[in-house]
Amino acid sequence: MATRTSSFHRHAIDHFEPQDTSDDPHAQRRMRGQLEQIDYTAFASNKEVIGAVLGHADAQKFQRMAVAAAMARAQWVKEALALSEAINASHEQISRLGRLRQAYEELAEAYEAMRRMVERGYLPYRAPAT
């Protein structure tokens, strides 16, 4: 049995949710319709802007992102291992370790963001030709 964990943190967008005391089904339906319109507007905007900026996703783009994140992770851990052998790490060495960790986290977040863009339909995915 395998357990998968992730250090990815999603920052939830806080949507205001009023306490609707109205029992009027027409008002509730109207509100749901308005919220669906708002959500569709956000979807269409994301799809248009992201597609214009990024074009499309494909296996090569995902592989490049994955390799960049893996390299950054390896460099971060390599540096941490080297520091673990030092008796007293300097402030500069610790700062460098932090920058390496941040680089890895940023690349991993970007990979996850691109994956979510494909999953949500904002970014078209072109499968390799067979």
Side-chain angles (χ1 to χ4, degrees):
M1 180 171 141
T3 302
R4 297 172 73 118
T5 61
S6 174
S7 63
F8 175 70
H9 302 285
R10 287 190 188 202
H11 300 284
I13 298 172
D14 191 18
H15 292 285
F16 174 67
E17 295 185 23
Q19 296 295 326
D20 188 8
T21 57
S22 171
D23 290 333
D24 179 7
H26 296 291
Q28 290 174 356
R29 227 181 340 259
R30 185 172 47 253
M31 176 61 80
R32 280 193 303 275
Q34 291 168 344
L35 293 174
E36 284 180 20
Q37 266 187 315
I38 291 168
D39 289 343
Y40 180 76
T41 299
F43 168 79
S45 298
N46 274 289
K47 187 173 182 174
E48 180 179 340
V49 170
I50 291 170
V53 171
L54 299 179
H56 70 278
D58 58 31
Q60 287 180 334
K61 287 180 181 180
F62 274 102
Q63 182 179 16
R64 283 196 312 266
M65 291 285 285
V67 168
M71 289 296 294
R73 177 187 262 177
Q75 288 300 314
W76 169 45
V77 173
K78 178 183 175 184
E79 185 82 10
L81 287 170
L83 285 178
S84 72
E85 295 174 5
I87 295 172
N88 291 321
S90 70
H91 179 68
E92 184 178 311
Q93 289 172 312
I94 298 298
S95 292
R96 175 175 160 69
L97 183 63
R99 288 191 303 274
L100 289 170
R101 178 187 44 79
Q102 185 178 12
Y104 158 66
E105 288 176 352
E106 290 297 331
L107 287 164
E109 290 270 350
Y111 176 92
E112 288 296 324
M114 190 166 74
R115 187 181 183 287
R116 277 192 313 279
M117 289 176 198
V118 170
E119 181 180 30
R120 293 181 179 169
Y122 302 154
L123 183 64
Y125 181 80
R126 291 191 186 158
T130 56

